[in-house]
Amino acid sequence: MFNTRRRIKELLISDNVNFQTTVMGWVRTFRNNQFIALNDGSTNNNLQVVVELGSLEEATLKRITTGACIKAVGEIIPSLGKGQKVEMKATSIEILGDSDAEKFPLQPKKHSLEFLREIAHLRFRTNTFGAVFRVRHALAFAIHEFFNKKGFVYLHTPIVTASDAEGAGEMFRVTTLPLDGTAPKNDDGSINFKEDFFGRSTNLTVSGQLEGELAAMAFSDIYTFGPTFRAENSNTTRHLAEFWMIEPEMAFYDLEDNMNLAEAFIKHIIKYAMDNNREDLEFLAQRLEEEEKQKPQNERSEMGLMEKLEFVVNNDFERLTYTEAIDILKESNHNKKKKFQYPIEKWGTDLQSEHERYLVEKHFKKPVILTNYPKEIKAFYMRQNDDGTTVAAMDILAPGIGEIVGGSQREERLEKLTQRMEEMHIPTEELDWYLDTRRFGACPHAGFGLGFERIVQFVTGMGNIRDVIPFPRYPKSASF
Ligand code: ATP
Ligand code: MN
């Protein structure tokens, strides 16, 4: 058996000393031919491994370089140096993998996030990305824990689909037909997808919601947590072409139940990370504070990261209607002074991210849930309100990010639903399976979608969504 090692995190937090053990990890630094800072990814804190002078051959010493992988056996003893409780007095060091110090791109110094994105395969070995991806893991775990405790069924919805849940474009096509012009054609010259692998035109999913609704009509409460794809050409700090989405769908829920669940859910997962990843979050808070110092005073955020998370967990989200939000925006000095790129003129316009951020960051200074949007700017499946103009939608907006959740009560009335689909030119035949839920035992139900990377951004304070997913996919980039 090879793996007899102990994790560095465990050794550092324990009060146990004076015992023999084995550690393995990657060298961060090696000082004075004596002190190895060893990291195994369990924590940002390194274990100091002390090599007794003269105990190792010169040739081995030379191979202890930044980035090299080593196995160290020795005694854990109280540390004399400051900054750590314990250290290891090594009795043997074995090089598991060499790393040419001249060529290893990560030097023990500060690298820019842009540079690290270019070497995303190595950036896990930095403190920043170590912390980010451990927090990402914790949030994913907390999500499953939250729903599991409530009795929700985790549903795996398909990644290849023939439907577009939103009725919008922006999808990646999936095909095995040749692209060299020899694909089978119909009489009118269009591609004949009957000859394609699935016998029809297919694409990567943009949402698992429609399938989720079908399962909710049997299990009552389900959630999905999987990858979704959007071929939108948005080069923003909040959009990816491949991102992960959590989509709970609940029978017997109205809009208010939906909002209550979403708010409790967000608070729970943030709290989980604060309770279980405090060290990483404090590191990220420090990083953010330094980044903020580079900004002009008036652009700096008023709260530090920990303070912000604490605040979100302990305060109610502000709830208001789209109509109320439009009034606030229209009457704002910001609007009157023409400071919005898209001025708010009339009821009915879609809110841009600048408007969402104004409401959250300037006006309310807390997360906001907007409800009852005009039906024209929302999807066909949202439940129509009695006023005939709005739908029972809800978006949750977060400081620094904008929209993190989009949800609604669903239209369960078959006639209203098909009528809306016709108005929006959505082919009812193709979604006949979806309409069956309204034919056989329909019930009031609701759900929402949370963009996983957006919440990871929020919790870690990372400004760019490309830095919270291991290998980001965005326009003109699919490396690694
Ligand atoms: P936005 O207006 O920010 O583009 P959207 O209205 O397109 O969002 P929905 O279709 O409601 O978003 O998707 C549900 C959630 O998925 C959003 O609230 C957001 O958190 C997340 N999301 C949407 N598009 C992306 C994307 N391209 N990259 C990362 N997350 C996304
Ligand atoms: Mn979008």
Side-chain angles (χ1 to χ4, degrees), residues 124-138:
F124 299 117
R125 293 200 212 169
T126 63
N127 283 338
T128 297
F129 288 95
V132 165
F133 291 117
R134 277 189 300 270
V135 171
R136 183 180 165 111
H137 159 78

Side-chain angles (χ1 to χ4, degrees), residues 35 49 75 81 87 189 218 238 259 266 282 291 441 475:
F35 303 105
V49 178
E75 190 179 4
E87 63 187 29
R238 302 169 300 109
M259 286 193 277
I266 290 172
E282 275 166 3
E291 193 180 87

Side-chain angles (χ1 to χ4, degrees), residues 218-280:
F219 298 107
S220 312
D221 302 314
I222 66 95
Y223 70 107
T224 72
F225 186 174
T228 47
F229 307 85
R230 300 206 181 164
E232 49 195 9
N233 198 3
S234 3
N235 268 300
T236 76
T237 54
R238 302 169 300 109
H239 287 92
L240 289 164
E242 177 182 295
F243 64 99
W244 289 66
M245 188 143 64
I246 298 100
E247 294 180 281
E249 194 67 39
M250 297 74 63
F252 323 122
Y253 266 54
D254 66 10
L255 188 67
E256 196 186 347
D257 298 320
N258 201 21
M259 286 193 277
N260 292 344
L261 182 79
E263 183 170 339
F265 169 59
I266 290 172
K267 287 176 172 171
H268 172 85
I269 63 177
I270 295 176
K271 179 94 176 29
Y272 182 91
M274 293 178 76
D275 290 346
N276 292 277
N277 293 64
R278 185 155 282 273
E279 211 177 68
D280 285 327

Side-chain angles (χ1 to χ4, degrees), residues 20-157:
Q20 284 282 320
T21 193
T22 303
V23 291
M24 300 183 204
W26 293 267
V27 175
R28 285 284 171 90
T29 58
F30 186 35
R31 286 188 295 121
N32 303 346
N33 266 348
Q34 213 184 347
F35 303 105
I36 304 171
L38 193 69
N39 192 282
D40 67 359
S42 57
T43 162
N44 269 348
N45 298 319
N46 304 317
L47 177 69
Q48 172 152 291
V49 178
V50 186
V51 181
E52 221 173 315
L53 284 172
S55 70
L56 282 184
E57 283 176 34
E58 194 63 25
T60 310
L61 280 177
K62 281 216 174 83
R63 294 170 66 195
I64 305 174
T65 53
T66 297
C69 186
I70 67 167
K71 170 180 177 180
V73 181
E75 190 179 4
I76 297 295
I77 55 167
S79 177
L80 298 176
K82 55 178 181 338
Q84 69 254 336
K85 268 198 301 195
V86 297
E87 63 187 29
M88 174 184 269
K89 197 168 114 198
T91 48
S92 99
I93 301 269
E94 186 186 331
I95 311 287
L96 299 177
D98 288 286
S99 170
D100 185 337
E102 300 280 292
K103 293 189 183 138
F104 186 56
L106 289 174
Q107 296 304 317
K109 63 158 196 168
K110 230 182 162 55
H111 293 292
S112 75
L113 294 174
E114 289 76 16
F115 169 72
L116 292 172
R117 223 171 281 147
E118 288 168 20
I119 51 161
H121 56 305
L122 296 172
R123 68 180 175 170
F124 299 117
R125 293 200 212 169
T126 63
N127 283 338
T128 297
F129 288 95
V132 165
F133 291 117
R134 277 189 300 270
V135 171
R136 183 180 165 111
H137 159 78
L139 291 170
F141 183 81
I143 286 165
H144 288 299
E145 184 202 59
F146 177 84
F147 287 121
N148 185 54
K149 263 201 194 140
K150 287 195 180 303
F152 281 55
V153 169
Y154 177 27
L155 189 79
H156 295 101
T157 49

